[in-house]
Amino acid sequence: MAHDGHPFDQAIALVAQGPDRWRGHTRAAYWNMVGPFGGITAATVLQAVLRHPQCLGVPVALTVNYAAALVAGPFTVTARAARTNRSTQHWVVEVTQEAPGADGRADTGVVLTATVLTALRRDTWGIQDTPMPAVPMPQDVVSPPPWHAPIEWIKRYEVLQLQGPLPGEWDGAVSTLGPDEASLSRLWMRDAPPRPLDYASLAALADVFFPRVYLRRARRVPAGTVSMTVYFHADDALLREVGDGYVLGQARAHAFHAGFHDQSAQLWSACGKLLATSLQMVYYKE
């Protein structure tokens, strides 16, 4: 469901360009250091699938591979149903963008590839094995440290930081916390201004966390997500239950090696229901 006028919906807006093709445009409101916030691009990819007239069911998994940074301007999303079964559907998505070539003429290049799995959810037995951690509820968080960074997309989210803020000093010191705490962040978050949660905004929230390398080693280095997968556990009823309330996010890394680190994340509703889980690989440079 679109919420006309909200910055998020303006950023993921798409115009049909024919079968399987959509036209979008980057928005300054979600700008990161060298391109759009990766979460908004992932949400745009998902939006292309959800708006496709052949879409079956709801999202189950989204994998996005960031091949290059988008530049400011228009881009094209191609979303094709590679296979449709009785209850599942497999999508292949590409984002391309024209940029000036070496000879001055426009050159179209792939900046992102993705796959999306949608499905008809069935009423079956289920259980949640990952409980929400015991944390203060949003209304009980007193004077949380504000996020400060010279990037625009951060202003599009209300964040109540509970654990794992960015370093107070960028001195290159390796964290002395134990391995379970060194790269761990917990925070309440939602769109700003508040907006009812849907699958696209949930995908974007999975990418709100700063690179774990900043926490593990207090040093500003070039870093960015190169691949992200989001697994959706919420259904439409649970999304409606969340409404425009806060979502609890938790993220940590498992290993930093040879220029890449992973990140695993979980997102819960305020009632403790698991909404989504996410895995990332993040590039970083010394």
Side-chain angles (χ1 to χ4, degrees):
M1 178 183 297
H3 308 275
D4 294 341
H6 194 283
F8 183 86
D9 294 280
Q10 294 174 359
I12 67 170
L14 294 169
V15 178
Q17 298 289 298
D20 301 339
R21 289 173 63 86
W22 308 85
R23 193 72 162 171
H25 200 288
T26 61
R27 297 281 178 166
Y30 283 88
W31 206 252
N32 203 349
M33 295 181 181
V34 297
F37 164 51
I40 203 69
T41 309
T44 304
V45 166
L46 187 59
Q47 179 77 342
V49 172
L50 295 177
R51 286 195 57 189
H52 200 290
Q54 297 176 7
C55 182
L56 176 72
V58 297
V60 174
L62 162 69
T63 296
V64 179
N65 299 304
Y66 299 92
L70 280 162
V71 299
F75 56 85
T76 299
V77 184
T78 303
R80 175 178 60 87
R83 185 180 178 95
T84 301
N85 300 320
R86 290 180 60 186
S87 60
T88 61
Q89 193 170 47
H90 302 261
W91 293 83
V92 176
V93 186
E94 279 190 351
V95 176
T96 57
Q97 191 173 44
E98 291 185 354
D103 58 0
R105 294 182 296 180
D107 180 31
T108 301
V110 174
V111 295
L112 179 150
T113 63
T115 58
V116 179
L117 170 65
T118 62
L120 295 172
R121 294 271 189 176
R122 303 190 184 280
D123 186 13
T124 63
W125 174 88
I127 193 170
Q128 180 175 311
D129 280 343
T130 302
M132 186 177 81
V135 298
M137 299 302 288
Q139 64 271 19
D140 299 324
V141 179
V142 180
S143 301
W147 274 17
H148 290 298
I151 45 180
E152 191 65 24
W153 71 265
I154 289 177
K155 301 174 185 177
R156 308 285 83 81
Y157 292 97
E158 294 181 12
V159 174
L160 307 177
Q161 188 85 47
L162 304 173
Q163 186 173 347
L166 286 174
E169 294 185 15
W170 296 93
D171 55 8
V174 177
S175 174
T176 58
L177 296 173
D180 291 337
E181 301 286 331
S183 66
L184 176 66
S185 289
R186 288 175 178 155
L187 49 90
W188 289 107
M189 53 187 173
R190 65 178 176 180
D191 289 289
R195 173 190 180 279
L197 188 68
D198 56 22
Y199 294 108
S201 58
L202 182 57
L205 284 173
D207 194 40
V208 163
F209 308 96
F210 288 120
R212 302 294 88 195
V213 67
Y214 292 168
L215 274 66
R216 197 66 176 88
R217 184 185 183 195
R219 182 177 178 184
R220 289 190 182 95
V221 296
T225 301
V226 292
S227 183
M228 177 175 73
T229 296
V230 181
Y231 299 109
F232 299 92
H233 306 294
D235 56 17
D236 291 333
L238 182 50
L239 294 176
R240 288 193 297 270
E241 181 181 310
V242 175
D244 63 1
Y246 284 96
V247 169
L248 178 68
Q250 172 178 279
R252 62 157 47 92
H254 297 95
F256 301 78
H257 178 67
F260 293 89
H261 72 76
D262 68 340
Q263 174 185 286
S264 64
Q266 301 82 37
L267 293 88
W268 294 268
S269 71
C271 294
K273 296 179 181 178
L274 192 63
L275 301 170
T277 52
S278 175
L279 297 171
Q280 288 194 20
M281 285 297 288
V282 179
Y283 161 83
Y284 65 93
K285 184 178 180 180
E286 286 296 312

